[in-house]
Amino acid sequence: EVTCPEIARQLVAEGVKTVVVVTDDTTKFDEGVFPAGVAVHDRSELMTVQKRLRETPGVTAIVYDQTCAAEARRLRRQGKFHDPDRRILINELVCEGCGDCSVQSNCISIEPLETEFGRKRKINQSSCNKDFSCVKGYCPSFVSVTGGKLRKAETKQAGIDESALFAALPTPALPALDAPYNVLLTGIGGSGVVTVGAILAMAAHLEGRGASELDVTGLAQKNGAVASHVRIAKTPEEIHATRIGLGGADLAIGCDLVVTTSFENLPKLSSRTTAIVNTHVQPTAEFATNANLDFSADKMLGAVHSACGAANTHAVNASELAVALLGDTIASNLLLLGVAWQRGKLPVSFAALDRAIVLNGRGLEMNRRAFAWGRLLAHDPKAVERAARPMLREPAASADASLKELVAKRAEFLTAYQGAAYADRYRKLVVRVAEREHQTVSGHDALAKAAARYYFKLLSYKDEYEVARLYTDGSFAAQVAREFEGDYGIALHLSPQFLPAFLAPRDPETGRVKKWLIPMRVMLPAFKLMAAMRFLRGTPFDPFGWTKHRRDERAEIARYERTLDELLDSLTHENLPVAIEIASLPELVRGFDTVKERHLEAARHKEAELLAAFRRA
């Protein structure tokens, strides 16, 4: 194994003029291990180092030192790599869904979270590599949780006897091996797909069958696509090729729906295929730059339906169930395997599969339980749902929620935000929009719904009072308790933007205020006081209201009201679609401080274009 100091010494020996080491941990190297003149910098300084070397004459080199994220997760599960006793949590109500955390970290463990109030962000605790660069996202929603452990469903406390449930499961009829049986497993690197393929092939081997396993990994360590082609026959001589051909899969276990429906794998599915797929859509790298990326599973499930037929397609909420029941999404693959076996779609016995799981030697108890829960899910899904229900998140509001429901929930929120008069201001405007729209197109309420959603968004801007309220009104405590248990401590990552420049200077390149890590016990009294003082919001006595960002947010509310007045005055059947698009523009305005400024500027440019089109229509 070549070490970082050895690489640096080789570069110097070959005559490279300037060599710089950039690392995620500057303390890991002993003094004197690098040649004279080789500087070591923290990775946060990478951009500065690159700019300096760009102006340095001669050949220069940067040695970037950091363990591969997927490898770090594997080693941590084996107890062979440092595992910080710390996790990052996003306060979902404070989060604006701006995506700056994804931009800063380029991490796909930051996933979309669909809520009543729009798309937010959450951390996938199972795939998180504890890189912690996401906390550089420029908002106050990031929290460090130290100690404790991830919560999972307590079936014993709920009076659920797992052993009795699993023991009562019937043994299915297994498929005959008149011809080689082809199983295609698809997923992403580091999630255990190759392990499941190895377990299945070993189970067939233990029964004296012929078995082959071909793993197509590619850039798997970068969370890239992985596919395992497992072929099982009565004898090894019956297997003439290891790769499954077009339309040749008898069973497809789709651990990741995106990979399952890729151009490499979808053609292997046909009417002979039984597809058992995970409905959770893992974010792709594109999500880091496109916060509005469509994560609906409907189109991809439709592609599987088209290939296999609806009767042969079984969609399973595997990731969410694995987290709820077993505390880790990596268990979702064995859960899917259990579903497949219980449905009689695997030509190996339970005893052989169980022995293969034991021989694998990793996560034995979790893997056995995951397989058993999968079997139960195939046999009695309601029993599994009852067991997992306490840990499953309530689904987001339906896209076709009525206007009355939208307004009622948001008016209740605004009452807590500022007061009954503030909520009444909101109701009156939405009612006026609904009445005018009904006069234009009878029975139509899309414009009123847009106003209901986005006038609310502007009215409930997250100033210091609101951030304080959302950390102290009980919602955040409930979120933490839902995800963690045990003895844990909480600290907040905050940028005090309202302080004078000499106390909280802005970075000259980014314009951002440096984040401070402040224990929750220190901030809690201050937050409670700030939340209680929200009646000062917008008054001459508001200590936070004089800042440019607060003035801009109040001005944007008035601007939106004037825009709606213009839309209602000139509304026709022809220009209604453009009016709806204009009324929905606040959806683009997300984030805090400089991030919000950038989005606001883009939204105003878009508004000018749409208003011109509206006036011409």
Side-chain angles (χ1 to χ4, degrees):
E1 180 182 338
V2 181
T3 66
C4 182
E6 287 173 345
I7 294 173
R9 285 196 291 270
Q10 180 177 342
L11 289 170
V12 171
E14 291 177 354
V16 176
K17 183 174 181 179
T18 304
V19 177
V20 179
V21 174
V22 178
T23 177
D24 63 331
D25 182 6
T26 57
T27 64
K28 70 169 70 171
F29 300 113
D30 296 330
E31 187 176 351
V33 297
F34 292 106
V38 175
V40 179
H41 293 266
D42 185 84
R43 65 179 181 181
S44 62
E45 303 174 55
L46 177 60
M47 189 61 68
T48 302
V49 170
Q50 289 182 122
K51 289 179 179 179
R52 177 168 62 83
L53 294 188
R54 183 178 62 189
E55 306 300 327
T56 302
V59 178
T60 62
I62 297 174
V63 182
Y64 191 96
D65 173 75
Q66 185 175 353
T67 304
C68 164
E71 180 66 10
R73 288 197 301 273
R74 291 190 190 97
L75 293 175
R76 282 187 181 127
R77 288 193 177 99
Q78 298 170 21
K80 298 178 181 178
F81 194 77
H82 174 59
D83 190 3
D85 190 18
R86 175 189 173 199
R87 291 184 179 273
I88 302 300
L89 182 70
I90 296 176
N91 185 328
E92 61 189 52
L93 281 174
V94 173
C95 174
E96 281 274 284
C98 68
D100 187 59
C101 49
S102 294
V103 172
Q104 299 301 318
S105 64
N106 198 34
C107 179
I108 64 170
S109 289
I110 301 172
E111 299 184 348
L113 175 65
E114 307 300 340
T115 74
E116 169 68 35
F117 303 117
R119 175 176 287 183
K120 306 299 185 80
R121 295 292 186 277
K122 66 176 179 179
I123 305 292
N124 184 327
Q125 300 293 347
S126 299
S127 65
C128 175
N129 60 26
K130 298 192 175 182
D131 174 80
F132 304 134
S133 58
C134 57
V135 301
K136 291 188 289 186
Y138 201 38
C139 82
S141 66
F142 282 86
V143 176
S144 281
V145 180
T146 54
K149 60 181 181 179
L150 295 175
R151 187 181 292 277
K152 55 188 176 183
E154 295 291 344
T155 53
K156 289 183 180 179
Q157 293 182 9
I160 298 172
D161 187 346
E162 289 187 16
S163 299
L165 282 174
F166 301 153
L169 287 169
T171 300
L174 304 182
L177 277 178
D178 299 327
Y181 193 86
N182 303 323
V183 181
L184 178 68
L185 297 113
T186 57
I188 60 173
S191 66
V193 176
V194 171
T195 299
V196 175
I199 287 173
L200 186 54
M202 175 56 72
H205 171 72
L206 291 172
E207 289 195 316
R209 309 286 193 184
S212 69
E213 181 194 9
L214 171 66
D215 297 321
V216 183
T217 57
L219 293 175
Q221 284 193 318
K222 301 293 185 183
N223 281 84
V226 173
S228 283
H229 299 235
V230 179
R231 306 196 70 204
I232 302 171
K234 289 182 179 179
T235 65
E237 290 74 21
E238 293 182 59
I239 300 175
H240 303 293
T242 55
R243 184 182 291 272
I244 297 172
L246 297 179
D250 294 293
L251 170 67
I253 298 180
C255 305
D256 181 89
L257 197 50
V258 175
V259 180
T260 304
T261 55
S262 67
F263 70 90
E264 297 98 338
N265 296 314
L266 188 61
K268 295 176 172 55
L269 278 53
S270 66
S271 58
R272 70 184 271 189
T273 309
T274 297
I276 298 172
V277 294
N278 187 355
T279 56
H280 174 74
V281 179
Q282 181 78 12
T284 61
E286 187 182 354
F287 183 54
T289 55
N290 182 3
N292 298 312
L293 194 65
D294 182 11
F295 282 94
S296 170
D298 294 342
K299 289 183 180 178
M300 290 179 282
L301 283 174
V304 178
H305 286 168
S306 297
C308 306
N312 289 340
T313 303
H314 307 282
V316 180
N317 190 17
S319 293
E320 284 75 8
L321 290 174
V323 171
L325 296 167
L326 300 147
D328 197 327
T329 57
I330 203 166
S332 62
N333 300 340
L334 264 296
L335 188 145
L336 289 170
L337 192 72
V339 172
W341 189 85
Q342 191 63 34
R343 288 188 175 276
K345 301 301 178 181
L346 285 171
V348 289
S349 68
F350 172 82
L353 279 169
D354 186 67
R355 179 59 181 159
I357 291 172
V358 172
L359 290 174
N360 176 60
R362 305 292 184 194
L364 177 58
E365 180 187 359
M366 182 179 72
N367 286 340
R368 275 178 157 172
R369 290 182 64 212
F371 186 77
W373 279 115
R375 291 184 61 198
L376 185 61
L377 183 62
H379 178 68
D380 187 357
K382 290 185 178 179
V384 177
E385 184 179 344
R386 284 194 299 270
R389 175 52 53 196
M391 296 298 299
L392 293 178
R393 180 186 175 83
E394 290 298 321
S398 172
D400 58 359
S402 70
L403 177 62
K404 183 178 180 180
E405 291 171 331
L406 288 175
V407 172
K409 289 181 180 179
R410 284 155 179 76
E412 180 183 7
F413 189 99
L414 290 173
T415 301
Y417 178 90
Q418 184 70 4
Y422 202 63
D424 194 48
R425 172 184 175 183
Y426 165 75
R427 287 193 198 91
K428 286 179 179 178
L429 186 139
V430 176
V431 167
R432 187 157 62 89
V433 173
E435 290 175 347
R436 179 70 180 88
E437 183 179 17
H438 183 72
Q439 292 171 3
T440 304
V441 183
S442 179
H444 200 281
D445 65 358
L447 179 60
K449 283 184 175 180
R453 287 189 173 97
Y454 299 114
Y455 186 44
F456 163 80
K457 187 176 188 295
L458 294 174
L459 286 171
S460 59
Y461 62 91
K462 293 186 176 72
D463 57 7
E464 288 78 2
Y465 302 113
E466 179 64 355
V467 171
R469 185 183 76 87
L470 294 177
Y471 269 109
T472 57
D473 68 350
S475 58
F476 173 66
Q479 181 188 348
V480 176
R482 188 172 65 243
E483 296 194 36
F484 294 89
E485 61 184 357
D487 185 15
Y488 52 79
I490 299 173
L492 311 182
H493 296 263
L494 303 175
S495 300
Q497 298 152 358
F498 61 88
L499 292 179
F502 70 91
L503 290 176
R506 290 182 178 269
D507 185 287
E509 291 190 12
T510 65
R512 301 184 177 199
V513 177
K514 184 179 180 180
K515 279 193 164 185
W516 299 359
L517 183 62
I518 308 174
M520 184 65 171
R521 65 178 184 277
V522 174
M523 283 304 303
L524 192 58
F527 271 171
K528 287 182 176 179
L529 178 62
M530 290 166 63
M533 293 174 61
R534 63 186 181 275
F535 64 89
L536 295 175
R537 179 186 284 123
T539 71
F541 305 102
D542 182 354
F544 307 111
W546 59 269
T547 64
K548 179 181 182 301
H549 296 104
R550 299 291 89 86
R551 295 197 306 270
D552 285 348
E553 285 163 337
R554 292 195 299 272
E556 200 60 24
I557 296 172
R559 179 190 179 93
Y560 189 77
E561 291 171 340
R562 292 194 301 271
T563 300
L564 282 181
D565 285 341
E566 178 181 348
L567 297 179
L568 297 182
D569 287 344
S570 305
L571 193 65
T572 66
H573 186 279
E574 288 73 24
N575 63 24
L576 179 59
V578 183
I580 294 169
E581 194 172 352
I582 294 171
S584 302
L585 282 175
E587 170 66 18
L588 305 178
V589 183
R590 301 168 179 162
F592 293 80
D593 200 70
T594 54
V595 174
K596 190 170 189 175
E597 278 184 345
R598 187 176 71 251
H599 289 162
L600 180 58
E601 183 179 356
R604 285 180 175 174
H605 284 303
K606 182 70 173 177
E607 182 187 59
E609 295 175 2
L610 291 173
L611 278 173
F614 177 82
R615 291 160 184 161
R616 289 194 303 267

